[in-house]
Amino acid sequence: MAQFSFEWDEQKSRDNELRHGIPFEQARQAFYDPRRVTAHDAAHSRQEPRFFCIGKVGQGVMTVRYTIRGERIRIIGAGYWRKGRKIYEKENQIFG
């Protein structure tokens, strides 16, 4: 299994947990899904390139917004969003 190095702002993690029910510690799990999907987040890449990692976490499909700083993945936001699930299912040919 690949090793990833993560970082995040603790206050943003707490805010994300209040808003979406997901602390960034948990959001890291999406990166370990071997069928994860990554995509460029063009709408939020003005200051630095940002991306989405869409991966299975537990029984759901989580979308994690992140950027790369040095050799670390900096998590910016995460949630269980329908759009991410649809992309994941399409890319992995999952129907039903």
Side-chain angles (χ1 to χ4, degrees), residues 38-86:
T38 57
H40 183 247
D41 180 5
H44 297 97
S45 289
R46 288 177 182 82
Q47 292 181 329
E48 63 187 345
R50 292 191 177 179
F51 306 92
F52 294 109
C53 174
I54 306 166
K56 193 112 167 149
V57 177
Q59 296 300 310
V61 176
M62 185 182 295
T63 301
V64 181
R65 182 178 292 135
Y66 69 98
T67 191
I68 304 292
R69 293 199 180 152
E71 295 188 18
R72 300 185 74 131
I73 295 168
R74 183 168 181 87
I75 298 176
I76 299 165
Y80 289 102
W81 297 308
R82 284 185 299 267
K83 185 175 182 180
R85 187 187 76 237
K86 287 180 182 180

Side-chain angles (χ1 to χ4, degrees), residues 1 4 7 10 18 25 46 57 61 75 80:
M1 178 165 40
F4 298 104
E7 65 179 39
E10 287 297 335
L18 287 172
E25 178 82 24
R46 288 177 182 82
V57 177
V61 176
I75 298 176
Y80 289 102

